[in-house]
Amino acid sequence: MPSLFDPIQLGAIRAPNRILMAPMTRARGTRDHLPTPIMADYYAQRASAGLIISEAIGINQLGLGWPYATGIWSREQIAGWRNVTAAVHERGGRIIAQLWQMGRVVHPDFLGGRQPVSASATVAPNHAHTYDGKKPYERARPLSIDEIVEVVEDFRQAALNAIDAGFDGIQLHASNGYLIDQFLRDSANFRDDRYGGAIENRLRFLKETARTVADAIGADRVGVRLSPNGETQGVRDSDPLPLFTKALEALSAIGVAHVELREPPIDGTFGVGEVNPLARHLRSAFKGPLILNSDFDATRAQAELDAGIGDAVAFGRPFIANPDFPRRVAEGLPLVKDDAQKWFTQGTEGYLDYNNWG
């Protein structure tokens, strides 16, 4: 069985190790959703990851509702991300763009008062983070068929923009209760047209998006993130195993390069699974590399690789405070604890001031 330090082919990308950097929103962009210079430094510091999956990047204004998050629909945003990818490549790293449409968890404050969109007319639980503090979510309106076609096109264009910006590929954010996930799982999708009801219908939006993006930039540069085993932002499924088995089979047929499963354990420290991770049951449904994610340490990660459940593991929080995380794992060096109070602040503190070992 492979070691965490063995190389792996992730479609068109040759990763030198299997310790990947998970996508983490850090809110270091501008209010115009532009990447900033400190972001280039941040990602370059972490270039020893086998592959960096970027923070979530908005594909359009309608789908972006997080303060100081970034987008990739304008020429200025593309130019800003080009600085980031150049810095990572200069350090010998590889980086893909996670493409994001948040759906019903966009507060109208980000939309000039317009209503957010989703699969169906639903309201997310809890509160949205806005520039004016936390506010209750508001009811989304269901996307029309024509609008679904437009969103798929926005994903396609965002993927092309990401390649233009120098990314080595993209990942479709189809997890965590965002728009694609709102179509997938039956707690948020109550449609009675070809995008709702039966599993095949609820999969349609994901399949159309993945196929369209793969046709645009090559399937070998496309990954997908899913969250099968529990509720996130009010989105869950009453019978997840058949749903996600069919999802992985469909993505395998399209030929996407890799799939990441974000599955917190039942006793997780950041997110809690409603059932145990389903990866061991889903492994055979996808023929490409399967990336595991959530609450892993190096020991558990290697055990999952040894058991043949996954092919690589994406680590999030350990990379925040340990930019040289792969080296620390390899040499058994101590890990620094990150400061959660500075995850979403806008300065360099808690962002660029964590050092390499030695």
Side-chain angles (χ1 to χ4, degrees):
M1 289 299 167
S3 152
L4 287 169
F5 303 98
D6 287 334
I8 182 171
Q9 196 71 37
L10 298 170
I13 300 167
R14 181 70 169 172
N17 63 65
R18 297 169 189 236
I19 299 175
L20 313 188
M21 179 172 161
M24 292 177 286
T25 298
R26 299 300 308 277
R28 260 60 178 201
T30 71
R31 287 183 71 139
D32 293 324
H33 309 300
L34 294 171
T36 54
I38 64 172
M39 292 170 57
D41 294 335
Y42 169 78
Y43 283 109
Q45 287 175 349
R46 289 151 181 83
S48 64
L51 173 67
I52 296 171
I53 307 171
S54 81
E55 62 198 71
I57 305 172
I59 65 167
N60 56 25
Q61 183 64 71
L62 182 64
L64 186 53
W66 188 271
Y68 301 104
T70 59
I72 198 161
W73 62 82
S74 75
R75 301 314 303 175
E76 293 82 7
Q77 291 164 345
I78 294 168
W81 276 112
R82 195 174 289 125
N83 293 333
V84 175
T85 61
V88 171
H89 292 151
E90 186 175 346
R91 296 278 188 94
R94 298 135 300 276
I95 182 170
I96 62 175
Q98 187 189 64
L99 301 183
W100 200 23
Q101 218 288 5
M102 296 172 65
R104 71 181 189 175
V105 290
V106 178
H107 193 274
D109 279 8
F110 293 94
L111 305 174
R114 291 179 296 158
Q115 195 174 8
V117 299
S118 186
S120 301
T122 59
V123 182
N126 303 319
H127 293 80
H129 294 272
T130 77
Y131 291 113
D132 299 315
K134 291 184 179 180
K135 295 186 179 182
Y137 287 110
E138 298 191 13
R139 183 171 297 275
R141 63 173 180 82
L143 285 163
S144 69
I145 297 292
D146 288 345
E147 288 176 318
I148 291 172
V149 173
E150 291 172 0
V151 175
V152 172
E153 169 58 23
D154 286 344
F155 271 110
R156 186 190 75 86
Q157 187 59 57
L160 290 170
N161 291 350
I163 299 302
D164 188 14
F167 284 100
D168 299 298
I170 67 95
Q171 182 190 66
L172 293 177
H173 199 340
S175 64
N176 293 27
Y178 297 117
L179 183 63
I180 297 177
D181 204 21
Q182 292 160 29
F183 274 80
L184 282 175
R185 297 199 274 177
D186 60 16
S187 72
N189 186 340
F190 304 107
R191 301 177 73 98
D192 59 6
D193 60 13
R194 65 179 184 267
Y195 289 93
I199 286 175
E200 284 300 327
N201 287 348
R202 286 184 278 127
L203 285 174
R204 193 180 306 277
F205 181 43
L206 169 63
K207 289 167 61 176
E208 289 177 350
T209 304
R211 188 178 297 112
T212 298
V213 169
D215 287 346
I217 66 170
D220 61 350
R221 296 194 181 275
V222 176
V224 176
R225 189 188 220 211
L226 300 167
S227 49
N229 78 318
E231 178 271 337
T232 312
Q233 301 192 102
V235 177
R236 57 166 57 83
D237 196 81
S238 60
D239 196 8
L241 185 56
L243 168 65
F244 286 98
T245 298
K246 287 185 178 296
L248 287 171
E249 289 172 348
L251 294 171
S252 192
I254 291 168
V256 303
H258 43 85
V259 168
E260 179 193 10
L261 300 181
R262 190 259 182 185
E263 295 196 282
I266 290 176
D267 58 350
T269 63
F270 189 66
V272 176
E274 294 182 324
V275 297
N276 287 319
L278 299 176
R280 68 178 60 248
H281 307 292
L282 296 170
R283 168 68 276 187
S284 62
F286 184 68
K287 304 310 178 187
L290 195 66
I291 301 165
L292 308 179
N293 175 287
S294 202
D295 264 345
F296 279 90
D297 59 20
T299 300
R300 179 174 165 237
Q302 185 60 58
E304 297 282 277
L305 265 60
D306 290 345
I309 297 169
D311 302 293
V313 177
F315 297 83
R317 287 165 290 160
F319 267 107
I320 292 177
N322 304 275
D324 57 345
F325 179 62
R327 177 193 172 193
R328 292 183 189 236
V329 173
E331 300 181 16
L333 300 171
L335 298 180
V336 176
K337 179 72 175 67
D338 61 283
D339 183 353
Q341 298 301 313
K342 293 169 184 164
W343 283 356
F344 306 123
T345 52
Q346 279 67 70
T348 60
E349 192 176 357
Y351 192 64
L352 295 184
D353 53 358
Y354 295 113
N355 297 317
N356 291 338
W357 180 263

